[in-house]
Amino acid sequence: MKTRFTRLRGMPDLLPATIAPWQQLEAAARHAMRAYGYAEMRTPVIERTSLFQRSIGEATDIVEKEMYTFDDRKGESLSLRPENTAGCVRAAVENGLLQPGSVNRIWYCGPMFRYERPQLGRQRQFQQVGAEVYGLSGPAIEAELILLSARLWRELGISGAVKLEINTLGDTQDRARYREKLVSYFEANRSILDEDSLRRLAHNPLRILDSKNRDMQDMINQAPALRDSLSDASLQHFDELRELLSVSGVDAVENPRLVRGLDYYSHTVFEWTTDQLGAQSAVCAGGRYDGLLEQLGANNMPGVGWAFGMERVIALMDALGVTPPAQTPDIFIMGTDDVAQADSLALAETVRELLPNASVLHNTAAGSLKSQFRKADKSGASLAVILGSEELGNGQVTIKPLLGGAEQTTIARQQLEPTLSRLLAR
Ligand code: ATP
Ligand code: MG
C-alpha cells in the first residue's frame, strides 16, 4: 500500500490558485520599504534556544509554550524562530553593523513558527514582514515606522479596516516602580487571580493586565495605571509621538492596557488592530526595545520595530474583497501540426524576447485545433498565437483574441510586437 503523507497541522501549503495576494503583499512591502530607505536582511530560521529565552523572556507565552525546540545531534538546544527581532539583533551585533553613532534601518520577510492552536489567522508556520531600526532613540523614528505601515495599508486597500492603538511602558525604572505597585495590588486581590495570572505574578505581572479572563476584568480595570508611575521624560517622549502622529494625519487610540507579550519593550508600544477577523484582531505589532540590544551584546544602542502577520493581512484583504485575481498567462502559443508545432517552440522564445513583460504559455504537444483551443481557454490567456503550416510557409502567424468577441487576424511575423502589444493593452 502506498503511504500518503499529509502536511503538519497548522503548516499550510500555499497553492498556485491562492498565491496572488501573497505576491502582491510581498511586492507592496518591498516597495514601501524601499520608499523609506530600509534594507532587507535575511537570517536563519533556526537559532540557539537561549537567544529567544534571553531576549523574548522566560515567562512569556512564546518561550513557555509556543516554541519548536529540539536538541541537535550534538545535544545543543535549538529553536525554530518564533519571531525575528532577536535574530536580527543577533545578526547585527555579530556582523558589526552597530558601530557607535550608526543608524540601521532594516526589514525582513519570512516564516516564523509557534506551537499554537490553528485557526483563521493563526498558524504554526506563519509569515511575518518586519521593520527594525537600530540607533535612534527619539519618537520621530517611531512615527516613521508607523507611517510606513500606514502607507502599506493604504496601498493594499485595507486602511479603512485597521486602527492604531498606542501606549507607553516607560523606561526600566518607571516599570520597576510600577511593578511594585502592581504586585501589591494583585497580591491584595489574589483570590480573583486565575492560575495563569498567579504564575505571572512572580515573573511578569504586567502581562496580567493583558488577560482576557472575564472574571478578572473588573479587578484589572481598577488596577493602578502605569501612567502614574511614568517619569516626566517618559511622558514627554509619548506626548511628542502623539503630536507627530497627529500632524501627520494618523489617528491613534490610546490603550493603557496594551502591554505586549514580549519582555523586551520599553517606552512606545503599538498595535494595528481590526474588528474584521474575529478573535485574531492584532494585524501588526511593535514598539521600542532599547534594552534588548545591550542585552544581546551591543553597547547602549536603542532599537524599535514592528512586525505584521501576512496571513492576517491577506485574510483582511479577502474580507474586504481587495485580493487580486489569480494570475493567468497573456499569450497561448500553439502549432496546428507536427511541423508547425516544432517551430512554435522557437516562436514562443521570440515572443518572450519581443514582449519581456508578457507571460507566454507554449502548448508543448500538437493536437486538433479544437483540443488546443480548449486548453488555451482553460489557461485563461487573453490571446492565442497560432502557427499552421500555411503561416509557416508565408512567414506569418494568426492571432486570436480569446476573451471578448474580436476576430482573428493573420499577420506577418514582423508585425508580432506591435500587434500583440496593442491587443494586450486593451
Ligand atoms: P496574538 O496576540 O494574536 O497571539 P502576538 O502578540 O503573539 O499576537 P506578535 O508576537 O506581536 O503577536 O507578532 C506580530 C504579528 O504576527 C501579530 O500581530 C500577528 O499578525 C502575527 N502572528 C503572531 N502569531 C501568529 C500566528 N500563530 N499565526 C499567524 N500570525 C501570527
Ligand atoms: Mg501570540
Side-chain angles (χ1 to χ4, degrees):
M1 209 180 78
K2 280 189 190 147
T3 313
R4 278 174 62 106
F5 291 102
T6 56
R7 62 192 176 80
L8 299 175
R9 197 162 122 79
M11 307 226 168
D13 297 315
L14 304 179
L15 300 175
T18 56
I19 210 70
W22 287 89
Q23 293 182 332
Q24 188 195 30
L25 178 51
E26 280 157 18
R30 192 171 295 281
H31 179 256
M33 296 298 177
R34 195 179 137 62
Y36 286 77
Y38 286 59
E40 188 181 355
M41 182 147 96
R42 300 186 189 185
T43 59
V45 296
I46 305 180
E47 301 271 359
R48 289 191 176 79
T49 303
S50 51
L51 173 69
F52 302 119
Q53 288 169 333
R54 281 279 295 283
S55 57
I56 299 169
E58 298 269 13
T60 55
D61 280 356
I62 292 181
V63 171
E64 268 185 352
K65 50 187 185 204
E66 294 176 0
M67 282 212 294
Y68 280 89
T69 297
F70 58 95
D71 286 349
D72 72 3
R73 287 171 192 277
K74 285 204 167 136
E76 182 165 27
S77 180
L78 307 179
S79 293
L80 297 181
R81 61 182 187 193
E83 56 95 62
N84 204 24
T85 296
C88 286
V89 173
R90 196 266 312 135
V93 173
E94 184 171 352
N95 294 286
L97 304 187
L98 305 178
Q99 298 307 315
S102 66
V103 173
N104 283 276
R105 286 176 169 84
I106 60 160
W107 73 281
Y108 59 82
C109 171
M112 308 296 155
F113 304 85
R114 295 185 197 175
Y115 197 84
E116 300 199 73
R117 195 169 68 77
Q119 51 197 296
L120 176 72
R122 194 176 291 286
Q123 298 290 343
R124 291 180 173 173
Q125 172 168 335
F126 61 101
Q127 312 264 343
Q128 278 185 345
V129 169
E132 315 275 354
V133 180
Y134 310 134
L136 295 171
S137 55
I141 190 62
E142 296 158 18
E144 175 183 296
L145 278 160
I146 288 169
L147 286 169
L148 166 46
S149 52
R151 181 176 300 274
L152 188 54
W153 312 146
R154 279 201 302 280
E155 275 184 31
L156 294 168
I158 60 169
S159 48
V162 290
K163 79 170 198 270
L164 177 67
E165 296 181 29
I166 58 173
N167 190 24
T168 178
L169 303 179
D171 60 22
T172 323
Q173 282 144 26
D174 298 342
R175 260 199 323 289
R177 258 198 312 275
Y178 179 54
R179 207 187 141 113
E180 261 175 51
K181 283 195 216 168
L182 203 57
V183 169
S184 39
Y185 175 80
F186 286 141
E187 289 287 6
N189 288 280
R190 220 185 156 87
S191 57
I192 308 174
L193 296 181
D194 59 17
E195 210 177 304
D196 259 358
S197 305
L198 284 171
R199 207 161 29 83
R200 285 181 175 143
L201 190 55
H203 306 287
N204 200 350
L206 263 72
R207 277 284 274 155
I208 300 176
L209 297 173
D210 227 9
S211 166
K212 308 273 185 303
N213 185 337
R214 292 224 176 128
D215 300 337
M216 289 170 44
Q217 294 311 304
D218 280 349
M219 186 272 295
I220 289 174
N221 286 334
Q222 287 165 40
L226 173 59
R227 177 134 289 231
D228 300 331
S229 298
L230 294 179
S231 66
D232 288 346
S234 294
L235 283 170
Q236 197 189 337
H237 183 112
F238 194 53
D239 285 345
E240 278 173 31
L241 172 64
R242 280 188 306 188
E243 180 62 22
L244 287 170
L245 291 177
S246 146
V247 297
S248 312
V250 179
D251 289 330
V253 184
E254 227 182 295
N255 176 0
R257 283 181 57 177
L258 181 66
V259 294
R260 310 280 309 118
L262 295 73
D263 272 0
Y264 50 54
Y265 287 108
S266 62
H267 289 295
T268 309
V269 289
F270 56 88
E271 260 180 26
W272 287 97
T273 58
T274 181
D275 54 15
Q276 309 261 332
L277 298 180
Q280 274 54 257
S281 61
V283 173
C284 174
R288 178 166 284 288
Y289 47 81
D290 287 350
L292 179 65
L293 283 85
E294 179 126 35
Q295 201 185 334
L296 297 180
N299 281 331
N300 196 20
M301 174 73 67
V304 53
W306 53 244
F308 68 80
M310 297 178 76
E311 284 78 4
R312 292 193 194 173
V313 170
I314 288 169
L316 198 48
M317 290 161 69
D318 270 340
L320 299 175
V322 297
T323 33
Q327 281 193 356
T328 49
D330 299 306
I331 300 168
F332 187 97
I333 296 191
M334 59 174 91
T336 56
D337 56 42
D338 286 343
V339 181
Q341 173 62 33
D343 207 68
S344 67
L345 182 67
L347 175 63
E349 284 301 295
T350 305
V351 172
R352 292 184 186 111
E353 264 143 45
L354 293 172
L355 302 170
N357 294 321
S359 163
V360 180
L361 194 63
H362 177 240
N363 189 27
T364 54
S368 74
L369 263 188
K370 200 170 157 208
S371 82
Q372 298 227 54
F373 271 112
R374 210 180 304 125
K375 285 189 199 167
D377 283 334
K378 201 173 160 208
S379 78
S382 42
L383 299 176
V385 173
I386 304 136
L387 191 61
S389 41
E390 200 174 315
E391 284 104 344
L392 195 55
N394 297 338
Q396 292 178 317
V397 295
T398 294
I399 299 176
K400 182 170 166 39
L402 296 170
L403 313 170
E407 286 298 302
Q408 67 177 44
T409 51
T410 299
I411 57 161
R413 284 208 184 195
Q414 289 85 338
Q415 294 304 308
L416 261 173
E417 196 275 324
T419 311
L420 290 174
S421 297
R422 182 169 49 79
L423 290 171
L424 286 177
R426 282 194 190 158

